[in-house]
Amino acid sequence: MSRPLEHDYIGLSEVSTIENSEKISSSSSTVSTEENENNNVLNLKETELRLGLPGSESFERKAGFGVSLSGRVVEDKNGYPLGAVKNFVSGAKRGFSDAIDDSGKWGFSGGGGSEVDLAKGAVLFSPRGGNGGKSHGGLENNGQQLGLASPAMKDSVPPSPKPVQEKKPQIPAINDHGNAPVAKAQVVGWPPIRSFRKNTMATNPAKNSDDVEGKSGSGCLYVKVSMDGAPYLRKVDLKIYSNYMELSSALEKMFSCFRIGQCGSHGVPGRDGLNESRLMDLLHGSEYVLTYEDKDGDWMLVGDVPWE
Amino acid sequence: MEMASRRKNDSVEDEKHLSPFPDEVLERVLVFVKSHRDRSSVSLVCKDWYSAERWSRTHVFIGNCYSVSPEILVRRFPNIRSVTLKGKPRFSDFNLVPPNWGADIHEWLAVFASAYPFLEELRLKRMTVTDESLEFLAQSFPKFKALSLVSCDGFSTDGLAAIATHCKNLSNATLNMVYSLRIRNLTELDIQENDMDDLGGRWLSCFPEKFTSLEILNFANLNSEVNFDALERLVTRCKSLKVLKVNRNVTLEQLSRLLMRVPTLTELGTGSFSQELTLRQYAELENAFNTCKNLHTLSGLWEATSLYLAALYPACTNLTFLNLSYAALQSGELAKLLPNCPHLRRLWVLDTVEDNGLEAVGLSCPLLEELRVFPSDPFDQDMILGVGDGVTESGFIAVSRGCHNLRYVLYFCRQMTNTAVATVVQNCPDFTHFRLCIMKPCQPDYLTNEPMDEAFGSVVKTCTKLQRLAVSGLLTDLTFEYIGRYAKNLETLSVAFAGSSDRGMECVLGGCAKLRKLEIRDCPFGNVALLSGLEKYESMRSLWMSACKVTMNGCRLLAREMPRLNVEVIKEDDSDDIQAEKVYIYRSVAGRRRDAPPFVQTL
């Protein structure tokens, strides 16, 4: 698993939750934009990482951070309680005093009910962006961005939200963003929702728009894209983009093979000069516009509504 | 009558007593006393009444299966026909209790088989029920009529098949549902589903063709496919069917067909509500709902889309309970639906309806008594101001403005303010159940950044009839001082990530005279707090404390001082011997558990 990734979490976790909640001003859009930038930068690095079971890595951290990412979610064991979560000592059974020290306000036990069972701890830091509990975003998706083959987890939402751990929802690069309230730890049994309901909602998330086939709760938001005249449709994960520019360039790239008669370069990050100018041509000079059908069934021009 | 004949043996001795009327009369009168609490009171009056009561009791409710043993039960009550049993602590619903903890029904069934051969009804909540137990049940009780399993685990549809097959005398029967299967079984079902869908639907086909008197059939929470033909035939021949709740594998078209067969339904749970229908099919659906004029409860509506919701309207006229908690409706859809339900008293929704949807609730549902708002996305806890994400304090206030009869609320949200809660309870002072869940732990009032103490303070001060309270958000000991001081009728309290010191818990234990169930997780309450309730725990059903500051020594002390309490510590791997991570304390006349797994240590 991604060491840098976890490092990111650490960076994040240094900020106490109080600060996080007070950072009302840090809007999600700012965060995610920067996240994505960082993301792009780190992409390659991240994708090198072994997508192994998270868990053990936690300990290389600096002392004082006992985040244990586990292979099993929320469902399974007692994780660490949230709140000032980040501040418990790795391996400590009782990080309570640490929690108290670090985050004065919260008088609750950080070491809480569960020993830091590294192999089994269920505390998961997941950057906000995805839906922590249920998502499978994360590495796989990053990989996808680069056109790497990734396990086909995304399209299928397992009936039980086992999720997580191995896949941190997108946008791990939140790191340098020490302040963004992005890291979100999953606490066992919180919020108090029965398994049945959790499982059900994982497979039947709130619908966003009529033609969104993706499971929005899963960290991926797959949308069908069709181009007039193209022989087949494509599917795109909306969550890997952070603004319309990226989306349109990605789409242009995808459909460029129909237009120009050459296959789009799937595996290459679309920031190299040659492609870009081509894309810009397509984008600006193109006779195609991006439209989408919203939940009321109306066709809308892409770009009016803020990206989030 | 059986009852009278047994009674005669006692009456000879009783002749000396000065009862104003014969005991038989007393028993006949007592038959009308149904509430188990009243019955307990009756039994305490005097020996005669105790005796009359125990002979005449036919239904027994046991809130904690370990508080009494089956042997003790059957010894006291010889004529039981219906048993309700609850097992695991409530926090097991949220995975805080390890699997194989206990609460297995089997030993009870074994004893019942000889003591209550005429047992008719069994209602279980949070018990472990295996297929073998279900099979045993089916074979041992010839008069068995009604089975209800809520939040139970350990069985599969094979067990249900056994019930269906063998309970031939399920006359006036009710096979109620099955809230959730243990994850292990769910997996097996899924796997097996691929191999043989029949396995899922098979249990339905096990009802004999001659079996016609089913009144309640609810399998809404079963994930497997069911054999629709078998279902249709069953529904058609059971003319008294009043309650039908299917699972989401039943399509709209199939639903139409079913509805045409059972116009007398009073409770309906639809299947999946999003199939693509032709115009004709839609017309049929509308027609089908038109025949359901007697519906008072409607649920299901999985994946409901606005396209077909309108078909429902004619069926909503007499609705009192609408459960939309699996239908991700938007505010507009809800706003259009609600005016068709003028008599609504209970409403469950998802927070996808947002504040606007709740405003519609306030406007359209003046008779509303219960509102539950569930989160569609519970794990995205971060609050993003201004971006619509679930419901907020505004929605809460909007509902309270229009629905003054609110008694029960369960509200999941990401942001709340003290003032909003105060406003809500001022508008609705009659709350008996107030469960507010601000999803991110320890979140303060988002406007003032203060703790949410005053919010709950206002709840307990204003709602004098409050019986159940669940708190959340950033809370100091002050909240608990308020609770101890004002919540005089409080019976159940759920606390998580709250409080600043032992004092909090002490206030509650000292002040809430009627407290019966206290469940606490992740709070800084330690031995001092625990021991302050020494004498109180015997008047309570149970206390759960996990991830608090209680130690093994504290628990040992408690166990030593209070021998009639079971003080159980759940120790999972790697835990040290100093902290007591999970403690479950309850009164019992049965002594320590005989079936405790290795990780449960009774002190």
Side-chain angles (χ1 to χ4, degrees):
Chain A
M1 258 235 297
S2 76
R3 230 155 271 207
L5 213 57
E6 288 169 12
H7 210 73
D8 300 343
Y9 290 133
I10 292 187
L12 214 60
S13 53
E14 296 209 53
V15 182
S16 85
T17 320
I18 299 185
E19 290 171 47
N20 286 346
S21 55
E22 282 171 357
K23 287 220 159 50
I24 293 174
S25 53
S26 62
S27 69
S28 57
S29 55
T30 334
V31 171
S32 49
T33 307
E34 294 175 78
E35 285 166 4
N36 257 289
E37 282 169 2
N38 289 331
N39 211 10
N40 295 335
V41 167
L42 291 177
N43 260 343
L44 287 175
K45 204 148 194 203
E46 282 159 359
T47 52
E48 271 174 23
L49 303 175
R50 329 96 232 191
L51 305 177
L53 284 181
S56 28
E57 294 72 11
S58 4
F59 306 105
E60 283 100 37
R61 310 242 177 123
K62 318 176 189 167
F65 290 94
V67 177
S68 79
L69 300 169
S70 102
R72 279 189 283 166
V73 174
V74 169
E75 230 79 60
D76 247 343
K77 279 284 167 153
N78 336 296
Y80 267 73
L82 174 56
V85 169
K86 8 270 180 132
N87 302 313
F88 41 83
V89 175
S90 136
K93 306 289 168 68
R94 226 41 219 184
F96 183 75
S97 42
D98 296 320
I100 287 277
D101 294 341
D102 293 326
S103 49
K105 272 195 203 176
W106 287 290
F108 69 94
S109 124
S114 30
E115 353 3 335
V116 177
D117 185 343
L118 305 177
K120 298 191 281 181
V123 171
L124 164 82
F125 276 129
S126 42
R128 178 171 37 106
N131 300 300
K134 308 180 278 207
S135 63
H136 321 278
L139 298 177
E140 267 75 5
N141 283 333
N142 291 337
Q144 192 200 9
Q145 208 170 357
L146 299 183
L148 292 183
S150 28
M153 277 291 311
K154 294 138 300 179
D155 275 342
S156 57
V157 178
S160 54
K162 296 208 192 149
V164 200
Q165 288 89 18
E166 353 215 355
K167 328 227 181 222
K168 281 162 232 125
Q170 300 280 94
I171 322 166
I174 333 153
N175 45 19
D176 304 289
H177 251 326
N179 42 331
V182 176
K184 185 177 39 169
Q186 285 273 324
V187 183
V188 173
W190 190 265
I193 302 186
R194 282 180 172 171
S195 312
F196 180 78
R197 179 170 291 281
K198 264 194 296 209
N199 296 351
T200 308
M201 293 323 293
T203 54
N204 178 30
K207 56 190 204 290
N208 290 325
S209 76
D210 291 352
D211 64 349
V212 170
E213 291 186 15
K215 321 291 180 188
S216 54
S218 63
C220 328
L221 192 58
Y222 278 89
V223 175
K224 266 198 257 188
V225 183
S226 69
M227 180 163 111
D228 284 351
Y232 52 82
L233 279 60
R234 302 299 305 271
K235 255 201 174 170
V236 157
D237 179 355
L238 285 184
K239 289 212 169 169
I240 63 178
Y241 305 110
S242 60
N243 57 46
Y244 287 114
M245 282 304 297
E246 286 186 24
L247 175 62
S248 25
S249 34
L251 288 176
E252 293 293 336
K253 201 178 10 144
M254 255 185 208
F255 288 100
S256 60
C257 55
F258 302 132
R259 193 156 160 67
I260 306 172
Q262 78 189 20
C263 229
S265 38
H266 290 290
V268 177
R271 300 287 169 215
D272 93 67
L274 184 60
N275 280 350
E276 209 165 357
S277 55
R278 207 161 232 149
L279 292 174
M280 295 314 275
D281 287 343
L282 287 173
L283 199 56
H284 296 308
S286 150
E287 61 209 25
Y288 290 85
V289 280
L290 287 176
T291 57
Y292 67 95
E293 188 177 28
D294 73 359
K295 58 193 177 198
D296 297 322
D298 304 321
W299 285 99
M300 316 282 292
L301 181 69
V302 163
D304 289 336
V305 182
W307 178 257
E308 315 78 63
Chain B
M1 265 190 25
E2 293 161 17
M3 276 168 52
S5 62
R6 291 185 210 186
R7 198 73 189 81
K8 285 212 179 89
N9 296 333
D10 293 353
S11 60
V12 170
E13 296 144 39
D14 293 344
E15 261 164 352
K16 299 192 198 130
H17 294 217
L18 296 169
S19 27
F21 41 77
D23 297 318
E24 285 82 1
V25 173
L26 183 56
E27 280 178 33
R28 300 267 187 223
V29 168
L30 287 181
V31 157
F32 296 103
V33 177
K34 305 254 190 258
S35 139
H36 63 273
R37 286 197 211 181
D38 288 344
R39 281 199 157 257
S40 293
S41 306
V42 163
S43 70
L44 293 172
V45 171
C46 64
K47 274 193 184 167
D48 282 348
W49 282 49
Y50 177 89
S51 188
E53 195 281 312
R54 64 183 271 263
W55 283 103
S56 63
R57 197 188 290 215
T58 54
H59 169 248
V60 68
F61 168 86
I62 298 169
N64 173 4
C65 64
Y66 287 118
S67 62
V68 69
S69 72
E71 292 82 14
I72 295 175
L73 179 72
V74 304
R75 206 161 49 227
R76 176 170 173 187
F77 298 116
N79 287 315
I80 297 295
R81 301 284 157 99
S82 161
V83 177
T84 302
L85 263 175
K86 293 190 181 179
K88 300 181 219 178
R90 195 180 77 96
F91 275 172
S92 69
D93 283 350
F94 317 125
N95 301 100
L96 289 183
V97 175
N100 300 316
W101 178 85
D104 195 313
I105 190 60
H106 206 84
E107 58 157 346
W108 293 86
L109 289 180
V111 173
F112 289 166
S114 50
Y116 303 143
F118 302 119
L119 188 69
E120 295 172 5
E121 302 180 351
L122 190 61
R123 298 200 158 79
L124 307 178
K125 188 167 187 180
R126 295 192 196 98
M127 301 282 299
T128 293
V129 184
T130 59
D131 285 345
E132 289 71 32
S133 293
L134 287 176
E135 177 102 33
F136 181 77
L137 171 68
Q139 313 256 23
S140 314
F141 302 98
K143 294 236 185 277
F144 196 75
K145 286 183 187 180
L147 177 65
S148 170
L149 303 171
V150 177
S151 274
C152 293
D153 70 319
F155 64 97
S156 73
T157 50
D158 280 352
L160 297 182
I163 298 284
T165 309
H166 296 292
C167 293
K168 296 195 165 60
N169 297 330
L170 253 73
S171 45
N172 298 332
T174 65
L175 173 64
N176 205 330
M177 206 39 205
V178 185
Y179 193 88
S180 85
L181 303 175
R182 185 162 51 171
I183 300 294
R184 170 175 71 81
N185 287 329
L186 262 181
T187 309
E188 284 172 10
L189 277 176
D190 287 349
I191 290 174
Q192 287 165 341
E193 250 179 276
N194 293 334
D195 290 340
M196 304 188 298
D197 285 351
D198 280 354
L199 182 65
R202 190 177 72 87
W203 64 273
L204 245 183
S205 319
C206 289
F207 282 107
E209 289 298 322
K210 279 183 289 190
F211 174 71
T212 60
S213 38
L214 198 60
E215 291 180 17
I216 298 178
L217 177 61
N218 174 356
F219 59 95
N221 298 320
L222 256 194
N223 288 327
S224 57
E225 295 277 341
V226 278
N227 181 330
F228 182 71
D229 285 330
L231 176 60
E232 196 174 12
R233 282 198 307 274
L234 178 66
V235 158
T236 308
R237 66 181 184 266
C238 294
K239 304 285 183 210
S240 318
L241 197 66
K242 290 263 165 296
V243 175
L244 177 62
K245 298 186 184 179
V246 300
N247 70 9
R248 60 206 285 197
N249 293 315
V250 171
T251 66
L252 275 178
E253 199 195 338
Q254 289 173 332
L255 183 68
S256 293
R257 281 163 59 183
L258 289 177
L259 287 179
M260 297 310 291
R261 313 260 183 205
V262 271
T264 53
L265 273 190
T266 58
E267 295 185 29
L268 171 66
T270 73
S272 171
F273 220 74
S274 69
Q275 181 188 2
E276 285 200 12
L277 297 177
T278 63
L279 273 178
R280 189 182 56 85
Q281 284 170 322
Y282 181 82
E284 276 170 6
L285 182 68
E286 247 184 338
N287 210 12
F289 277 116
N290 226 339
T291 64
C292 297
K293 289 299 188 195
N294 297 318
L295 277 188
H296 59 67
T297 294
L298 181 61
S299 60
L301 301 168
W302 315 91
E303 291 130 22
T305 63
S306 44
L307 277 177
Y308 306 129
L309 274 180
L312 278 180
Y313 296 172
C316 296
T317 344
N318 293 321
L319 274 192
T320 56
F321 177 26
L322 180 57
N323 180 353
L324 295 169
S325 63
Y326 293 107
L329 295 193
Q330 312 284 313
S331 53
E333 295 160 334
L334 184 66
K336 275 190 239 150
L337 172 56
L338 287 179
N340 294 288
C341 319
H343 299 117
L344 215 54
R345 290 185 200 282
R346 300 171 65 199
L347 176 64
W348 295 15
V349 292
L350 274 180
D351 64 1
T352 50
V353 302
E354 296 182 351
D355 289 336
N356 286 340
L358 293 183
E359 242 183 83
V361 172
L363 290 172
S364 318
C365 307
L367 300 178
L368 201 68
E369 294 173 5
E370 174 178 328
L371 174 68
R372 301 195 195 197
V373 182
F374 294 95
S376 54
D377 194 2
F379 298 108
D380 189 4
Q381 296 167 15
D382 290 304
M383 183 188 87
I384 306 167
L385 270 192
V387 177
D389 216 1
V391 295
T392 70
E393 74 281 8
S394 317
F396 203 9
I397 295 178
V399 174
S400 72
R401 271 203 215 106
C403 307
H404 295 286
N405 290 339
L406 268 186
R407 307 234 142 89
Y408 191 120
V409 72
L410 170 61
Y411 200 82
F412 283 86
C413 58
R414 290 189 177 81
Q415 66 190 55
M416 190 50 61
T417 66
N418 288 307
T419 332
V421 175
T423 308
V424 165
V425 293
Q426 223 167 3
N427 293 336
C428 306
D430 295 329
F431 275 116
T432 54
H433 296 67
F434 193 93
R435 304 165 64 188
L436 176 62
C437 181
I438 303 168
M439 288 193 277
K440 186 165 177 181
C442 304
Q443 183 155 309
D445 176 321
Y446 81 98
L447 286 181
T448 65
N449 255 326
E450 283 171 5
M452 296 296 295
D453 295 333
E454 293 308 318
F456 294 104
S458 59
V459 171
V460 293
K461 284 177 201 163
T462 316
C463 306
T464 51
K465 301 183 216 161
L466 198 68
Q467 290 168 23
R468 181 173 180 182
L469 179 64
V471 299
S472 59
L474 180 63
L475 300 175
T476 70
D477 284 343
L478 184 56
T479 297
F480 302 102
E481 282 177 34
Y482 285 142
I483 294 176
R485 202 179 325 155
Y486 295 104
K488 292 308 177 186
N489 285 317
L490 194 65
E491 298 179 12
T492 305
L493 178 62
S494 308
V495 186
F497 306 105
S500 349
S501 74
D502 284 327
R503 177 167 164 67
M505 187 171 160
E506 285 176 319
C507 287
V508 170
L509 289 172
C512 298
K514 294 197 185 169
L515 195 64
R516 291 186 307 118
K517 288 178 280 185
L518 180 55
E519 43 186 30
I520 302 175
R521 62 167 292 181
D522 296 277
C523 295
F525 304 139
N527 295 335
V528 173
L530 178 70
L531 296 170
S532 71
L534 215 58
E535 272 127 36
K536 186 158 181 74
Y537 302 133
E538 275 188 5
S539 65
M540 288 170 55
R541 183 188 294 175
S542 64
L543 166 68
W544 169 278
M545 287 181 79
S546 60
C548 295
K549 292 178 86 177
V550 173
T551 69
M552 292 295 289
N553 284 335
C555 295
R556 286 190 191 105
L557 187 58
L558 176 63
R560 199 163 56 235
E561 295 296 313
M562 306 297 294
R564 283 186 303 205
L565 293 180
N566 279 356
V567 179
E568 295 176 2
V569 177
I570 294 174
K571 300 187 81 41
E572 284 157 308
D573 318 324
D574 294 6
S575 58
D576 60 33
D577 200 46
I578 303 175
Q579 297 305 324
E581 291 83 14
K582 292 182 182 174
V583 184
Y584 183 48
I585 295 161
Y586 57 91
R587 63 183 175 189
S588 175
V589 294
R592 55 201 300 144
R593 283 175 59 177
R594 293 169 295 197
D595 63 350
F599 56 82
V600 172
Q601 193 183 339
T602 308
L603 300 177

